[in-house]
């Protein structure tokens, strides 16, 4: 079982729709959860992090965390073509200490 | 967020040469930096954790004698790919632990290495 699992996609949504990206993790002791966006040929960019159960909103982005289900998601409202990228889920803490474990990423394609 | 720079952004070299990549934290001190490698359409692969003033911790399968890491100051870590070969061609990305409470990492822009 991979430590951090994501659907590789591609996830295709029309412009203006809500894109929902999901991630599960195996280490129940994980404490911090991150979403990074990576455009093709570029390095990852931190979008959001969340550490407590529930929702955290920042502009068009909402991160959701459910530690009981070991599940974290990212919602992108009013999706734009510029949101087309690979989204990486990452977790930190637990048995890995401060080492951050990255998922393989989900490719998102927003159709104009 | 914190700013991390990398230099060079792109390098092309001949097989057998060594290449040094610099990673700098510009507006904060980074006691811990990380080096990743990413092949096309693949996920990030952590190569090593670089700690200021001590030896780097390498991930399983990463040759420490081939990928030399030096973290001599709180703002600079270097990765030297020694005797590079075509199979070392990849996108090398560093990140720095910004010291925040949640261990968020900030990535440099990456270095694309092509070994001919």
């Amino acid at each position: 079982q991979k430590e951090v699992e994501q659907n590789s996609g591609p996830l295709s949504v029309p412009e203006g729709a809500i894109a929902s990206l999901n991630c599960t993790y195996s280490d129940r002791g994980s404490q911090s959860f991150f979403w990074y966006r990576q455009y093709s040929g570029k390095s990852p960019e931190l979008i959001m992090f969340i550490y407590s159960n529930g929702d955290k909103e920042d502009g068009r982005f909402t991160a959701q965390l459910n530690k009981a289900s070991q599940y974290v998601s990212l919602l992108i409202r009013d999706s734009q073509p510029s949101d087309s990228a690979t989204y990486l889920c990452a977790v930190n803490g637990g048995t890995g200490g401060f080492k951050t474990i990255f998922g393989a990423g989900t490719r998102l394609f927003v159709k104009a | 967020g914190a700013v991390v720079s990398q230099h060079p952004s792109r390098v092309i070299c001949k097989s057998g040469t060594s290449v040094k990549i610099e990673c700098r934290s510009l507006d904060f001190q980074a006691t811990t930096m990380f080096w990743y490698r990413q092949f096309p359409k693949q996920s990030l692969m952590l190569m090593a954790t670089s700690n200021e003033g001590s030896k780097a911790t390498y991930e399983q399968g990463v040759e420490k004698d081939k990928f030399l890491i030096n973290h001599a100051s709180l703002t600079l870590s270097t990765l030297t790919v020694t005797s590079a070969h075509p199979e070392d061609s990849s996108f090398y990305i560093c990140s720095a632990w910004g010291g925040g409470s949640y261990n968020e990492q900030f990535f440099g822009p990456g270095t694309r290495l092509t070994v001919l």
Side-chain angles (χ1 to χ4, degrees), chain B residues 14-90:
Chain B
K14 293 181 179 180
S15 184
T17 60
S18 294
V19 176
K20 179 185 282 188
I21 302 170
E22 292 186 348
C23 177
R24 294 181 184 274
S25 57
L26 296 185
D27 53 358
F28 66 103
Q29 293 183 331
T31 55
T32 302
M33 291 183 172
F34 304 89
W35 287 96
Y36 294 85
R37 181 167 55 181
Q38 188 175 38
F39 292 107
K41 299 190 186 303
Q42 294 189 23
S43 60
L44 288 172
M45 188 195 83
L46 178 64
M47 299 175 67
T49 301
S50 170
N51 296 297
E52 187 269 335
S54 65
K55 292 183 178 180
T57 302
Y58 290 82
E59 295 300 299
Q60 190 173 8
V62 178
E63 300 175 58
K64 62 180 181 180
D65 294 331
K66 180 170 183 62
F67 299 99
L68 302 178
I69 292 173
N70 184 285
H71 194 157
S73 77
L74 287 170
T75 59
L76 174 64
S77 175
T78 61
L79 167 68
T80 301
V81 183
T82 62
S83 186
H85 291 282
E87 58 265 31
D88 298 322
S89 298
S90 188

Side-chain angles (χ1 to χ4, degrees), chain A residues 32 34 36 38 41-44 46 49 51 88 92 98-100 102-104, chain B residues 32 34 36 38 43-44 46 59 91 93 102-109 112:
Chain A
S32 303
F34 309 89
Y36 288 85
Q38 185 175 24
K42 303 293 185 182
S43 65
L46 180 65
F49 65 88
Y51 54 89
L88 305 174
N92 184 286
F98 60 76
K99 184 189 295 187
T100 301
F102 286 85
Chain B
T32 302
F34 304 89
Y36 294 85
Q38 188 175 38
S43 60
L44 288 172
L46 178 64
E59 295 300 299
F91 191 41
I93 313 172
Y102 308 104
N103 297 329
E104 57 269 37
Q105 289 182 35
F106 297 93
F107 285 87
R112 188 159 305 280

Side-chain angles (χ1 to χ4, degrees), chain A residues 6 21 25 27 43 45 47 61 67 75-78 85-86 90 95 98 101-102 105 111:
Chain A
Q6 296 181 254
L21 304 164
Y25 59 94
D27 188 339
S43 65
E45 171 191 12
I47 298 175
F61 299 97
K67 289 186 178 181
L75 300 178
I76 306 175
R77 289 182 299 282
D78 188 23
T86 297
T95 57
F98 60 76
I101 309 298
F102 286 85
K111 297 175 292 185

Side-chain angles (χ1 to χ4, degrees), chain A residues 8-30:
Chain A
S8 62
L11 172 66
S12 184
V13 300
E15 183 176 0
I18 295 176
S20 178
L21 304 164
N22 305 315
C23 171
T24 58
Y25 59 94
S26 61
D27 188 339
R28 188 171 287 278
S30 298

